[in-house]
Amino acid sequence: MLNFIRKTLISRDRDLTAQATSREEKTRIAASVILLEAAHVDNECTDEELDHVIQTLRSDFKLSQEHAEELVELAHNERKNAVDLFEFTNHINNEFSKEEKRAVLKAVWRIIHIDGQLEKHEDHFARKLTHLLRLSPADMIAAKLQARQEIQ
């Protein structure tokens, strides 16, 4: 009987650990999809934008270069199969604090500004993302200005 209880508890602990890891990876993928969408919103994803996505993932999630590249590959597939961004922003809304969501928005603005041009599609995307992440217009403007300063 004691062995049964131990096995049950150990099994449950492993399941919880696996769920946490899976949940963390889903969160990383969701953030990656959003960053990739920002890079592709003007119908052109430059090497510089892709490098910036990878560097953002490495610094924000403390990932190795290899893991960040694998994450981008997974995110490409998820993005290609997605109907819209809601599933990804919804996951981020459930997992991230307001500050973390602001950091995602700022990273999006850095990607948008990396080429030195702001196109109307990019601005529209950032506004839509602000709404989907349940952030205020003031949060969006602050993220935009901070990103612009960091890029210059």
Side-chain angles (χ1 to χ4, degrees):
M1 178 72 163
L2 190 55
N3 284 336
F4 174 76
I5 293 171
R6 280 186 194 146
K7 286 180 185 177
T8 303
L9 289 176
I10 290 170
S11 174
R12 190 176 72 184
D13 286 346
R14 284 185 192 148
D15 288 346
L16 290 175
T17 302
Q19 284 177 344
T21 302
S22 175
R23 201 170 169 168
E24 186 176 341
E25 195 64 14
K26 284 180 183 177
T27 303
R28 290 175 180 166
I29 291 170
S32 301
V33 168
I34 289 170
L35 296 177
L36 282 176
E37 187 66 23
H40 285 275
V41 77
D42 61 356
N43 294 319
E44 179 186 7
C45 180
T46 66
D47 289 339
E48 187 177 20
E49 289 171 327
L50 192 55
D51 287 343
H52 193 73
V53 168
I54 291 170
Q55 292 309 315
T56 299
L57 294 173
R58 288 189 67 200
S59 65
D60 289 0
F61 293 115
K62 313 290 186 260
L63 302 176
S64 68
Q65 179 75 20
E66 184 178 304
H67 191 173
E69 289 172 1
E70 289 172 5
L71 194 57
V72 166
E73 188 66 32
L74 287 170
H76 269 299
N77 292 332
E78 290 291 324
R79 182 180 168 270
K80 186 172 37 174
N81 295 323
V83 175
D84 59 22
L85 291 177
F86 179 77
E87 68 180 285
F88 306 108
T89 57
N90 189 51
H91 185 81
I92 286 175
N93 283 328
N94 291 331
E95 298 296 323
F96 278 15
S97 68
K98 189 170 186 175
E99 281 305 311
E100 290 169 322
K101 291 189 294 184
R102 286 178 182 148
V104 169
L105 187 59
K106 185 168 76 169
V108 164
W109 276 111
R110 280 196 313 265
I111 292 165
I112 288 171
H113 285 305
I114 203 89
D115 63 2
Q117 299 177 49
L118 175 61
E119 296 183 23
K120 62 182 176 182
H121 293 32
E122 294 169 323
D123 188 60
H124 175 74
F125 171 74
R127 290 175 189 280
K128 181 172 83 171
L129 183 63
T130 300
H131 176 72
L132 288 170
L133 291 176
R134 301 179 193 143
L135 295 172
S136 71
D139 291 327
M140 184 197 69
I141 292 168
K144 181 179 182 178
L145 293 175
Q146 290 169 358
R148 189 180 297 158
Q149 285 179 334
E150 289 175 11
I151 293 296
Q152 295 174 346

